[in-house]
């Protein structure tokens, strides 16, 4: 509906930025509280059966994979507006091939975490390829610097939460 709008690129840029902000908030909330959520009990009921609790380690990787896929989806606009559906095929192909390669490399060494990491990296590659291609034919002034800064802040907060308690317990801080 926005194809004919005069300021549609500004609107798409804002949607992209809002997606980054919202997704990073969700990433932090879910990643930081996933353990508490799955261990929460009401009588004999838990949100996740105890047999699956060990899989909690992949939650941040899966969340980041979906984040990159969401960014990729935000970029589909250029392919449709400029009738460059081949860009979606190229970027999806890059994701497919990279996923195969990453799976062969990472799963033997890191098991389930390797598979989640391979998926995350593949979605990032899909996003990066589509970003490069789509910006050439339908340039949208995304606020990449601010988006990357938000991602970095979210990751720093996540890793601080992950490692700071251990460092404090070891007496190094």
């Amino acid at each position: 509906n926005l194809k004919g709008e005069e300021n549609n690129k500004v609107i798409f840029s804002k949607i992209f930025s809002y997606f980054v902000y919202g997704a990073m908030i969700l990433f932090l909330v879910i990643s930081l509280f996933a353990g508490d959520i799955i261990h929460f009990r009401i009588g004999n009921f838990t949100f996740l059966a105890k047999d699956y609790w060990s899989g909690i380690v992949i939650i941040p990787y899966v969340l980041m994979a979906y984040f990159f896929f969401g960014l990729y989806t935000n970029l589909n606009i250029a392919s449709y507006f400029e009738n460059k559906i081949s860009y979606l095929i190229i970027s999806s192909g890059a994701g497919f091939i990279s996923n195969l390669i990453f799976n062969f490399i990472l799963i033997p060494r890191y098991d389930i975490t390797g598979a989640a990491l391979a998926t995350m990296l593949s979605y990032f590659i899909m996003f990066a390829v589509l970003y490069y291609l789509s910006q050439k034919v339908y340039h949208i002034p995304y606020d990449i610097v601010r988006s990357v800064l938000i991602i970095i802040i979210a990751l720093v907060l996540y890793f601080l939460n992950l490692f700071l308690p251990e460092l404090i317990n070891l007496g190094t801080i």
Side-chain angles (χ1 to χ4, degrees):
N1 293 339
L2 293 174
K3 185 175 183 179
E5 294 283 328
E6 184 177 320
N7 64 343
N8 65 2
K9 291 181 179 183
V10 173
I11 294 169
F12 295 136
S13 178
K14 286 183 180 183
I15 291 170
F16 185 90
S17 294
Y18 293 147
F19 176 81
V20 170
Y21 304 151
M24 286 297 97
I25 289 169
L26 281 173
F27 168 79
L28 282 172
V29 169
I30 294 171
S31 293
L32 298 179
F33 298 108
D36 297 326
I37 293 168
I38 68 163
H39 291 103
F40 183 75
R41 289 185 165 282
I42 300 174
N44 289 333
F45 173 79
T46 59
F47 288 104
L48 189 63
K50 195 172 186 175
D51 295 341
Y52 301 106
W53 287 2
S54 63
I56 194 171
V57 298
I58 68 166
I59 288 176
Y61 301 110
V62 172
L63 289 171
M64 286 303 290
Y66 280 114
F67 168 68
F68 290 128
F69 186 72
L71 294 178
Y72 171 84
T73 303
N74 271 275
L75 299 176
N76 287 346
I77 296 160
S79 298
Y80 291 118
F81 280 11
E82 297 300 317
N83 199 26
K84 297 286 187 180
I85 304 304
S86 61
Y87 288 178
L88 298 176
I89 295 168
I90 292 167
S91 58
S92 294
F96 170 74
I97 291 168
S98 64
N99 193 264
L100 286 176
I101 293 168
F102 288 136
N103 275 318
F104 278 113
I105 294 170
L106 298 173
I107 290 175
R109 187 167 187 176
Y110 300 108
D111 299 318
I112 188 174
T113 304
L117 186 57
T119 301
M120 182 190 75
L121 293 171
S122 298
Y123 279 139
F124 175 77
I125 288 171
M126 287 173 57
F127 159 70
V129 168
L130 189 59
Y131 179 82
Y132 173 76
L133 294 173
S134 65
Q135 287 295 85
K136 287 175 29 177
V137 296
Y138 194 78
H139 180 75
I140 296 175
Y142 296 115
D143 193 350
I144 295 298
V145 172
R146 184 174 291 165
S147 295
V148 169
L149 183 62
I150 294 297
I151 294 166
I152 290 170
I153 290 169
L155 292 175
V156 165
L157 290 172
Y158 171 74
F159 285 113
L160 278 174
N161 182 71
L162 197 62
F163 295 115
L164 196 57
E166 289 181 27
L167 293 173
I168 290 171
N169 287 339
L170 293 174
T172 57
I173 293 183

